[in-house]
Amino acid sequence: MKIMYLLFSYTVGGTERLVADICNEMVSQEHEVYLYVVNNLYSEEVLNTLDRKVHIELQKRPVGSGGKIDTIRRVTKYIKDNQIEIVHCNSLDIPEILILKPFLFRKTKIVHTIHDVGQYGQLAKWKIILRNILCDNFVAISKSVKKDIVEHGAKAKKVVTVYNAINLEKFSSKSSGRYNPDKIVIGNVARFMPEKKGQDILVEAIDLISKKYPNVVCYFAGGYDNSHKKAFENLKRIIMERGIDNNIIFLGNVDNIPELLRTIDIFVLPSRFEGFGISLIEAMAMGIPCIASNLDGPAEIMVSNPNQLFDVGDSAQLAEKISYVIDNYDLIKKQAQNEINRIQKRFDIVNMCKKLIKVYTY
């Protein structure tokens, strides 16, 4: 089967790493795989993780330059020239550039994954109608995302829930298991987007628990774009003013996430909204005690330990959850280790790709 994964940009992030894993797994399942990136915003590091058999097409359209007609023409030609059977869209606005499907590549199946809650309702009504016409299926990454997009106009009969997954060869239960009370290491992996990912909430919690555990250290892995530069600088200023700059380390983009996870004791996902939480399953697959915001997406993952969910935006409650895990670390660590098999069975990239193939061939 000839499958094309279509995105506007391909930078360092959870969605991009997931698409790379899907591409590689589809190649291993002997499908012919294409990756088409429209904009000139892409990461060589992530591209280098792709199997050499993946056909990569970088259009390199300057970001914000417009040029939609040219992009429609070029993408249409690429689909026709390569006789693509499946186009899998992984950017929210990308289906619009497939508007010529009914006329020029009618037999090509269009699948659109929606990666978060709250996105679909922001689309103009005509865009939702167009998607219902163009897309053969919508993939929701969780039950909460499915509920959200159906409520905002996606045809329910076209929506399939397929949970995001990870490459288990990378994320295995190899966390050290060592716990040094003199250096408690907390970790967070996410793009710096406080309005969504809640890095500021975790900073507030670290400020609170550092009174009791002065040696606590929190690693933030994830870069920021220009639109978040001011928010990043403001947060760093607050950290300095509160005197917790020795407790918080911003690592920027980290290429080897499994290696980072092996150095931490507790993983925290403090998001204000989150359709799923792929970094959460990465940490759980390695047997790391986790704490997350009590949102539908993370709650679907952490069904066995709901007491490690905290109210969205409540930094004081998050601090209490972290303190509890620290004070009962051996017990919580054992519980986390017991979760590994469930996480691996449910969120394996191999099984995810088999489910996607069923969607493609349905």
Side-chain angles (χ1 to χ4, degrees):
M1 185 180 295
K2 291 189 171 185
I3 310 166
M4 184 175 101
Y5 294 92
L6 178 63
L7 302 95
F8 274 123
S9 302
Y10 200 66
T11 54
V12 177
T15 297
E16 291 82 359
R17 288 191 287 120
L18 173 64
V19 170
D21 285 342
I22 292 172
C23 287
N24 292 340
E25 179 56 32
M26 289 300 187
V27 166
S28 74
Q29 293 184 20
E30 300 184 350
H31 297 286
E32 192 166 349
V33 178
Y34 300 76
L35 176 71
Y36 192 110
V37 181
V38 174
N39 292 335
N40 62 350
L41 189 61
Y42 55 88
S43 165
E44 292 287 353
E45 289 84 358
V46 183
L47 288 173
N48 288 337
T49 66
L50 291 165
D51 190 291
R52 291 183 179 180
K53 293 182 181 179
V54 176
H55 306 279
I56 301 172
E57 180 68 17
L58 302 175
Q59 182 178 319
K60 298 183 179 179
R61 182 186 73 174
V63 176
S65 64
K68 288 185 179 179
I69 294 176
D70 181 58
T71 297
I72 290 170
R73 179 186 62 80
R74 292 177 64 169
V75 170
T76 298
K77 184 177 186 302
Y78 191 83
I79 291 170
K80 290 184 66 180
D81 288 350
N82 292 283
Q83 299 180 330
I84 302 295
E85 298 170 78
I86 307 292
V87 175
H88 192 151
C89 304
N90 278 275
S91 298
L92 182 64
D93 289 326
I94 207 82
E96 283 98 88
I97 66 175
L98 302 173
I99 196 168
L100 296 180
K101 176 200 169 180
F103 311 102
L104 298 179
F105 50 99
R106 188 178 304 173
K107 293 183 179 180
T108 301
K109 187 169 185 177
I110 308 299
V111 177
H112 184 204
T113 289
I114 294 84
H115 288 276
D116 216 337
V117 294
Q119 294 183 330
Y120 220 71
Q122 297 176 11
L123 292 171
K125 189 173 181 180
W126 71 266
K127 290 186 177 184
I128 294 174
I129 294 171
L130 180 64
R131 280 164 173 70
N132 286 334
I133 296 170
L134 293 178
C135 298
D136 298 274
N137 283 106
F138 302 99
V139 172
I141 64 170
S142 66
K143 293 177 183 177
S144 58
V145 171
K146 179 177 180 179
K147 180 175 180 290
D148 180 66
I149 67 174
V150 170
E151 286 179 350
H152 287 98
K155 285 187 177 179
K157 65 180 181 180
K158 290 188 174 186
V159 182
V160 181
T161 301
V162 179
Y163 287 112
N164 283 346
I166 58 175
N167 184 338
L168 295 177
E169 292 181 1
K170 297 178 184 176
F171 298 93
S172 60
S173 55
K174 293 181 180 178
S175 58
S176 67
R178 297 187 301 273
Y179 175 62
N180 180 3
D182 294 326
K183 186 184 178 183
I184 304 157
V185 182
I186 297 169
N188 170 260
V189 179
R191 282 192 181 110
F192 186 82
M193 301 171 61
E195 72 279 8
K196 176 187 176 183
K197 295 296 184 180
Q199 285 93 345
D200 57 315
I201 299 168
L202 181 50
V203 166
E204 291 278 353
I206 296 299
D207 186 23
L208 292 171
I209 66 170
S210 64
K211 311 294 191 295
K212 183 178 179 181
Y213 311 101
N215 294 323
V216 68
V217 176
C218 183
Y219 295 144
F220 285 94
Y224 61 88
D225 56 28
N226 287 334
S227 65
H228 290 94
K229 183 178 180 180
K230 185 175 181 180
F232 179 74
E233 291 173 348
N234 285 341
L235 189 57
K236 289 199 74 173
R237 176 181 53 79
I238 291 170
I239 290 167
M240 292 292 292
E241 288 175 353
R242 297 190 181 184
I244 53 173
D245 46 300
N246 289 329
N247 302 100
I248 294 174
I249 300 172
F250 290 100
L251 302 174
N253 289 323
V254 174
D255 294 331
N256 194 330
I257 299 299
E259 183 178 345
L260 170 66
L261 291 176
R262 292 186 186 103
T263 69
I264 72 171
D265 301 309
I266 304 167
F267 181 86
V268 179
L269 185 75
S271 305
R272 287 185 165 89
F273 60 96
E274 191 77 57
F276 185 67
I278 197 164
S279 61
L280 185 60
I281 60 172
E282 291 171 346
M284 292 181 72
M286 297 179 68
I288 299 169
C290 294
I291 301 170
S293 300
N294 193 4
L295 296 162
D296 288 342
E300 287 180 47
I301 300 170
M302 297 182 65
V303 291
S304 299
N305 42 7
N307 60 332
Q308 285 165 231
L309 297 168
F310 71 97
D311 293 341
V312 178
D314 192 335
S315 57
Q317 191 179 98
L318 172 56
E320 292 174 2
K321 297 287 183 181
I322 295 173
S323 294
Y324 179 82
V325 173
I326 293 172
D327 292 340
N328 300 274
Y329 194 79
D330 290 341
L331 172 64
I332 304 300
K333 179 71 174 181
K334 184 177 180 180
Q335 293 173 348
Q337 293 285 337
N338 291 337
E339 279 284 277
I340 291 173
N341 286 338
R342 181 183 70 84
I343 294 297
Q344 290 183 342
K345 287 179 181 178
R346 194 174 189 188
F347 304 113
D348 179 6
I349 193 71
V350 177
N351 294 332
M352 179 190 179
C353 287
K354 289 178 180 178
K355 291 176 182 177
L356 287 177
I357 292 298
K358 287 183 180 180
V359 174
Y360 298 161
T361 56
Y362 179 72

